[in-house]
Amino acid sequence: MTTAVVVGSGPNGLAAALTLAAGGVRVRVVEAADVLGGGVRSAGLTLPGLVHDECSGIHPLGPGSEFAKRFDLAGAGLTWRWAPVEFAHPLDGGRGAVAVRSVAATAAGLGAGGAGWQRTFGPLTERFGTISQEFLRPVPHIPRHPLHLARFGAYAGLPATLLARRFESAEARALWIGVAAHAFRPLGTFASSAIGVALATAAHAFGWPVAQGGSAAIRDAVVRRAAEYGVEFETGRRVTSLAELGAPDLVVLDTSPSAAVRIAGDRMPAGVRRAYTRYRHGPGVFKVDYAVEGGVPWTHEGSRLACTVHLGGGVAETAAAERDVAAGRMPERPFVLVGQQYLADGTRSAGDVHPLYAYAHVPAGYTGDATEAVTARIERYAPGFRDRVRATYVRTTTELSRYNENHVGGDIVMGANDAWQLVFRPRAARDPYATGIPGVYLCSAATPPGAGAHGMCGYNAARRALARLREVSQP
């Protein structure tokens, strides 16, 4: 029987293991940490009874992914929950904007900017089922729906600050620039709209849900399915060399490219080693979890109903902060993402005390303490917030990389999202998952389609490995 070892149990490693096992392969997963899950773990970080997501918290592409549908994760116990508002962007003076599932309803709340929002996201939302199938595959491929993909690409290729001009109100422009900032890159550069267009359209097509009980529920559902196929799991064991794994037919690495180089050693061809070594990581995050009594007193009412709140001010302020971070400078007023998962999933709270998830974009490897910067950002739009905080838990960029070694320098998306690397990732050959070693593949978020795709990197890599096995076995 064909055997495989998957190194790393993040969402992509688990997806690869399940996909291989469903293809008739006997699979063992080896994880360095004491618990499975990588970026999809949850814990009681502050006060008893509160459930905090340790990394990944909001899952825009989760319900619609091919992987989740193929393996019926809902049938394995995964339940998605949605807040009344998908994401919000407050401004000073109680102003702001919200995105809800309906494009028309969102546009209606954006004043003069509503028409541009409708023209941009209405047609994309109608076609998002086919569009997402395209961008969740390895980027250089023959598209099955070229016209749909072309419309998406026409917006995705623009600088985010340029696309903002399409929205003729301060509120609409702020709503756009907040979602565009998920790119972790200067917002005036080519293709800096790509991630924002995908995420904003996903909000209208699928919503931005959370997993009931915490993001660890995603891990639990995949592990439950994998166990049905006989996948074995080993935790607390760090792999430092391929030689430690015996002689499996396949090895799939859910690691950073640099870690893959260390594990493969001299077996990796020089060209691939150079490509992996040159792989660039992006900015980091500084994460603060709060226990908040009574919730956040946002002056913008729509933000009180939103699962995700973007804090960056207007277009110029957000763009300046992202420009500083990319240049290695800590901005005085960083972009901050706030997750209010408890608004969708009340099981995470303890009475009237709620878990709040927040992180600031900071330079890679930032060694300072950004706790006050994050708190001040929230206080600006929610006066009195400080008085409601009952406990905090902080993770610096260094602590994030210790928690998950794939988060190099605090980079939670595993890779600089410039246009070239976004398309090609650590490609050293035609196959973006191949390491140049027969039977050894890379499946982490450093491979297409990248972070936030809910196991699709692992799913794609495993399917490539299975296809290659079939080719080799054919006479």
Side-chain angles (χ1 to χ4, degrees):
M1 184 177 188
T2 303
T3 60
V5 175
V6 175
V7 178
S9 70
N12 289 304
L14 293 176
L18 175 52
T19 306
L20 289 172
V25 178
R26 184 176 178 181
V27 181
R28 177 165 52 99
V29 176
V30 181
E31 168 59 50
D34 292 331
V35 294
L36 303 171
V40 284
R41 287 183 267 175
S42 306
L45 301 179
T46 56
L47 297 180
L50 301 188
V51 177
H52 295 268
D53 291 325
E54 297 199 60
C55 182
S56 177
I58 318 295
H59 307 279
L61 299 174
S65 78
E66 182 180 345
F67 170 71
K69 291 177 179 178
R70 175 180 170 184
F71 291 106
D72 184 23
L73 298 187
L78 176 60
T79 300
W80 297 110
R81 296 294 184 198
W82 289 262
V85 169
E86 307 304 335
F87 61 91
H89 196 114
L91 295 169
D92 294 322
R95 297 178 302 128
V98 301
V100 296
R101 184 72 70 88
S102 165
V103 178
T106 300
L110 296 176
W117 195 274
Q118 180 72 54
R119 288 196 307 272
T120 302
F121 294 110
L124 292 178
T125 300
E126 292 172 3
R127 300 166 175 82
F128 194 64
T130 55
I131 292 171
S132 62
Q133 289 176 23
E134 298 291 355
F135 68 67
L136 290 177
R137 298 172 63 201
V139 179
H141 68 271
I142 299 173
R144 300 168 184 168
H145 308 281
L147 295 180
H148 294 182
L149 187 60
R151 182 157 197 155
F152 172 82
Y155 296 126
L158 295 174
T161 51
L162 180 60
L163 186 56
R165 299 178 189 176
R166 187 176 178 87
F167 311 119
E168 298 179 4
S169 69
E171 290 79 6
R173 289 192 292 270
L175 189 66
W176 159 247
I177 209 67
V179 70
H182 283 252
F184 281 88
R185 59 177 296 208
L187 298 172
T189 55
F190 173 71
S192 55
S193 290
I195 290 172
V197 171
L199 292 178
T201 310
H204 296 307
F206 303 129
W208 283 15
V210 304
Q212 182 172 298
S215 290
I218 301 171
R219 171 202 63 196
D220 294 344
V222 179
V223 168
R224 197 172 291 121
R225 277 283 181 257
E228 293 173 0
Y229 286 96
V231 176
E232 299 176 353
F233 298 95
E234 181 180 358
T235 59
R237 178 187 170 195
R238 183 179 306 281
V239 174
T240 61
S241 169
L242 292 176
E244 300 171 14
L245 303 177
D249 299 289
L250 297 171
V251 175
V252 183
L253 302 173
D254 182 12
T255 70
S256 67
S258 58
V261 170
R262 291 193 298 270
I263 292 169
D266 292 340
R267 291 183 59 186
M268 184 175 285
V272 180
R273 189 183 307 119
R274 282 194 299 271
Y276 281 17
T277 302
R278 292 171 181 168
Y279 186 77
R280 287 169 293 104
H281 285 272
V285 302
F286 186 102
K287 187 169 182 285
V288 185
D289 287 279
Y290 301 89
V292 183
E293 186 170 2
V296 183
W298 304 107
T299 55
H300 171 238
E301 291 189 7
S303 295
R304 299 178 186 178
L305 302 174
C307 199
T308 301
V309 182
H310 299 133
L311 305 180
V315 172
E317 186 177 336
T318 302
E322 294 301 276
R323 200 163 48 240
D324 281 347
V325 165
R329 300 184 298 266
M330 180 63 195
E332 181 181 349
R333 293 180 293 186
F335 177 81
V336 171
L337 182 147
V338 177
Q340 301 182 127
Q341 292 95 313
Y342 67 89
L343 292 176
D345 176 17
T347 67
R348 299 168 181 239
S349 301
D352 197 33
V353 180
H354 309 289
L356 194 74
Y357 163 113
Y359 63 75
H361 290 187
V362 300
Y366 175 69
T367 57
D369 186 352
T371 307
E372 173 56 27
V374 176
T375 302
R377 244 345 193 173
I378 300 173
E379 182 78 16
R380 172 176 168 179
Y381 301 103
F385 167 72
R386 295 177 189 274
D387 298 332
R388 299 190 180 199
V389 175
R390 298 294 172 259
T392 59
Y393 183 90
V394 171
R395 273 204 172 118
T396 65
T397 59
T398 300
E399 289 162 341
L400 279 166
S401 61
R402 288 174 183 159
Y403 154 80
N404 187 335
E405 293 181 23
N406 286 351
H407 298 161
V408 177
D411 171 14
I412 61 173
V413 301
M414 202 188 290
N417 283 322
D418 61 76
W420 178 265
Q421 188 161 279
L422 188 64
V423 173
F424 293 102
R425 292 289 170 177
R427 182 187 298 269
R430 184 174 59 87
D431 184 346
Y433 309 101
T435 65
I437 307 170
V440 180
Y441 298 84
L442 185 68
C443 79
S444 66
T447 62
H454 302 281
M456 285 301 297
C457 304
Y459 178 67
N460 288 342
R463 293 179 69 195
R464 284 290 178 90
L466 290 170
R468 181 60 179 155
L469 273 179
R470 287 192 293 268
E471 291 173 4
V472 170
S473 64
Q474 289 176 355

